[in-house]
Amino acid sequence: MAHTEETPIAGIKIQEKKLTLILKVHIPDIHLVKLNLQITPETVLIQGQHTEAVGVEGYLLPSRFQSLLPLPHRVHPEIYGTEIHSDGLTIQLAKELSIPPSKVRIQLSDTHL
């Protein structure tokens, strides 16, 4: 996982199911953050911006952050669901399942044309 230093993300849990990956992202002050997700087959990029000034008087803290999460299994980036909770975000992603190649049987006759 790669992220900027001042991320409000306190933790991430990934639960792998047969057809989906479920990411539970713990963000204690989620009501103070505006989020943007970018999903690829192998990663989830969470970008955010604090909606209110954050910091201690006399110190300037960055208002933007991002975290790049590598996924343990390839997913379909266009198939996802999100749910915001009081303490974070749940992202559900559809796994990319490999489809076995079709078997084609060709029977040749003994006669020549």
Side-chain angles (χ1 to χ4, degrees):
M1 175 173 66
H3 58 82
T4 53
E5 287 184 30
E6 299 300 327
T7 181
I9 297 174
I12 298 167
K13 291 182 183 178
I14 298 177
Q15 183 179 18
E16 192 166 348
K17 300 219 174 198
K18 185 176 181 179
L19 300 175
T20 60
L21 288 177
I22 299 172
L23 283 67
K24 295 185 178 187
V25 184
H26 181 59
I27 304 173
D29 295 323
I30 195 163
H31 61 282
L32 299 176
V33 177
K34 179 180 173 186
L35 295 174
N36 180 43
L37 299 176
Q38 292 182 16
I39 302 169
T40 72
E42 298 163 345
T43 62
V44 173
L45 176 63
I46 301 173
Q47 296 175 312
Q49 181 175 354
H50 295 281
T51 56
E52 295 181 10
V54 177
V56 178
E57 190 174 328
Y59 294 94
L60 178 64
L61 293 179
S63 63
R64 296 177 186 261
F65 65 89
Q66 65 181 15
S67 289
L68 181 63
L69 314 172
L71 300 173
H73 196 287
R74 289 181 61 90
V75 299
H76 292 284
E78 66 280 356
I79 304 172
Y80 66 93
T82 58
E83 190 175 329
I84 296 177
H85 308 282
S86 61
D87 64 344
L89 172 70
T90 299
I91 306 166
Q92 186 168 339
L93 304 162
K95 285 171 127 181
E96 186 178 289
L97 304 175
S98 59
I99 301 170
S102 301
K103 292 184 180 181
V104 177
R105 183 177 175 187
I106 301 174
Q107 186 172 358
L108 300 173
S109 66
D110 291 339
T111 60
H112 300 286
L113 298 175

